[in-house]
Amino acid sequence: QVQLVESGGGLVQPGGSLRLSCAASGIIFRISNMGWYRQVPGKQREWVASITGGGSTNYADSVKSRFTIFRDNAVNTVYLQMNSLKPEDTAVYYCSVVGTPYWGQGTQVTVSS
């Protein structure tokens, strides 16, 4: 029943910006803790950022000061604003509802010249 649809990925140059979106359904979005994660082939999925229903945020050290997670409860969407992108940010980005086994299909972010 839970559905998460990520979008906004693409190819950007180092130093560029990208905004990812995750549209959620099948949950009580307003009170759900949401998170962004990323995965590179051959590596474990990595937590990037999270936001509680009340708007409290946390970030991985690798993205702190560069990425911002925020949400719009009116449209059941959580966003990840990515600035000052680096090649090491290249990955498939996924969103999830904390405490559930449900994930979206992912969106590819490639940072390269």
Side-chain angles (χ1 to χ4, degrees):
Q1 185 179 331
V2 176
Q3 187 174 18
L4 303 167
V5 181
E6 302 95 336
S7 62
L11 173 64
V12 296
Q13 295 182 16
S17 297
L18 214 54
R19 180 178 292 183
L20 307 184
S21 299
C22 172
S25 61
I27 61 170
I28 306 175
F29 184 79
R30 192 184 70 83
I31 63 172
S32 296
N33 297 167
M34 304 297 297
W36 282 99
Y37 307 78
R38 64 190 183 187
Q39 188 165 34
V40 176
K43 306 220 75 181
Q44 292 186 56
R45 186 176 59 210
E46 175 189 24
W47 169 73
V48 174
S50 58
I51 184 168
T52 68
S56 181
T57 61
N58 284 289
Y59 300 91
D61 288 341
S62 58
V63 307
K64 207 165 284 180
S65 85
R66 298 189 298 120
F67 291 11
T68 302
I69 185 171
F70 61 102
R71 64 197 298 156
D72 186 347
N73 291 341
V75 293
N76 288 6
T77 300
V78 62
Y79 305 89
L80 185 68
Q81 178 66 47
M82 306 183 294
N83 299 324
S84 302
L85 283 161
K86 304 175 179 180
E88 51 263 45
D89 295 318
T90 296
V92 177
Y93 283 70
Y94 301 89
C95 72
S96 184
V97 185
V98 175
T100 80
Y102 303 108
W103 300 84
Q105 84 289 344
T107 185
Q108 174 72 230
V109 171
T110 303
V111 185
S112 175
S113 296

